[in-house]
Amino acid sequence: MVQDRACLAGVVAHPEVVVSAGRHGEHRVRPAVLAPDSPDPQAVLDAGVDAILALLPAFSPAQVIVEPEARDTAPCVGLALAKVTSIDPDATVAILPADQVIEPPAEFGRMLARGAAIARDGQTLVTFGVKPSYPATGYGYIELGAALDEQTPRGFAANGFREKPDAATAEQFVQSGRFWWNTGVVVFSAVAMRAQMRRHCPELDAAVDAMQEALGAGDERGVQAAFQSAPKTSIDFAVMEKADALAVVECTAMWDDVGSFPAL
């Protein structure tokens, strides 16, 4: 994790939340959202809670939020935001896909810190991209715009997302040098994400408001009902692909999109 106070939240639909991975066979925790600035760590999971607590002894059961049901990533990010913003309305949050290996941790932390610094403008949603080593057709791509500054890891304005291309288009992307693989890792301020939800997916925004109200009242059934009222869709489709202010930071760590157990 990036900081001792890191806040975890995410979609984990199966018990592979904890897997044996890496060159040394060590266990990895697979979170999907991390909020470095939150003073109170949280985890949103629907499986493997006991395993998570065993691997993260600093966490107590009260710090684990159980996702009511699998409804894709938009409702889960909404639940995470409802909980995180009830503790710190100005939190910086990161979405981390659960099926990736990124190492070494120190470099990953440097990447996230760079993204968090950009996101602290309260407007920009920051993605992370990998410079392609071959014309992959199995990944989505991010189109690079102008460089943000001279800092490292490099940051650029993002001109939008491209769906998984055919072979010819993937070759064009690689040859142009203007497209990076989309890792799915995103950093944003809670304020910025809620603003984009309100603009581009008001149904999700309303569900987050209802979740936060129910959480504040200690109403578990209300949380579940609000969660179920959120549109069953991905955060990419609901918000990211329509967002008004996007940036992309270069992934300078080793990135492996595991994707499935056989890939381990």
Side-chain angles (χ1 to χ4, degrees), residues 74-147:
C76 185
V77 171
L79 178 58
L81 280 175
K83 179 62 176 178
V84 169
T85 55
S86 70
I87 300 167
D88 180 5
D90 298 319
T92 301
V93 179
I95 303 174
L96 310 176
D99 54 359
Q100 301 180 1
V101 174
I102 304 176
E103 56 186 7
E107 185 59 24
F108 185 38
R110 193 170 78 97
M111 288 165 43
L112 290 179
R114 169 75 160 130
I118 296 169
R120 287 194 187 103
D121 67 359
Q123 299 179 5
T124 305
L125 309 183
V126 183
T127 63
F128 292 77
V130 174
K131 185 177 180 180
S133 55
Y134 66 97
T137 57
Y139 301 142
Y141 287 71
I142 306 168
E143 184 177 2
L144 307 185

Side-chain angles (χ1 to χ4, degrees), residues 27-239:
H27 285 86
R28 300 295 177 89
V29 180
R30 294 177 43 179
V33 179
L34 177 149
D37 295 337
S38 174
D40 184 19
Q42 304 288 329
V44 177
L45 308 166
D46 72 351
V49 173
D50 290 341
I52 288 293
L53 293 174
L55 286 177
L56 298 176
F59 279 59
S60 71
Q63 293 171 304
V64 178
I65 310 164
V66 178
E67 182 185 5
E69 62 183 69
R71 290 185 60 81
D72 215 322
T73 54
C76 185
V77 171
L79 178 58
L81 280 175
K83 179 62 176 178
V84 169
T85 55
S86 70
I87 300 167
D88 180 5
D90 298 319
T92 301
V93 179
I95 303 174
L96 310 176
D99 54 359
Q100 301 180 1
V101 174
I102 304 176
E103 56 186 7
E107 185 59 24
F108 185 38
R110 193 170 78 97
M111 288 165 43
L112 290 179
R114 169 75 160 130
I118 296 169
R120 287 194 187 103
D121 67 359
Q123 299 179 5
T124 305
L125 309 183
V126 183
T127 63
F128 292 77
V130 174
K131 185 177 180 180
S133 55
Y134 66 97
T137 57
Y139 301 142
Y141 287 71
I142 306 168
E143 184 177 2
L144 307 185
L148 298 179
D149 49 41
E150 300 297 323
Q151 298 183 42
T152 57
R154 292 183 294 167
F156 298 83
N159 287 344
F161 299 93
R162 300 292 185 272
E163 296 296 327
K164 297 175 182 178
D166 59 28
T169 304
E171 183 66 37
Q172 292 174 5
F173 284 173
V174 173
Q175 291 299 321
S176 74
R178 296 187 296 107
F179 293 86
W180 285 350
W181 292 335
N182 180 15
T183 65
V185 175
V186 186
V187 172
F188 50 82
S189 72
V191 171
M193 179 56 81
R194 288 303 305 273
Q196 293 300 314
M197 283 182 178
R198 279 191 294 274
R199 178 163 185 168
H200 300 295
C201 193
E203 302 91 345
L204 177 60
D205 185 62
V208 175
D209 282 340
M211 282 187 263
Q212 191 163 22
E213 182 177 351
L215 284 167
D219 180 2
E220 293 185 10
R221 289 186 178 180
V223 173
Q224 182 170 356
F227 186 88
Q228 292 172 336
S229 75
K232 188 176 182 180
T233 188
S234 70
I235 194 66
D236 286 350
F237 180 78
V239 177

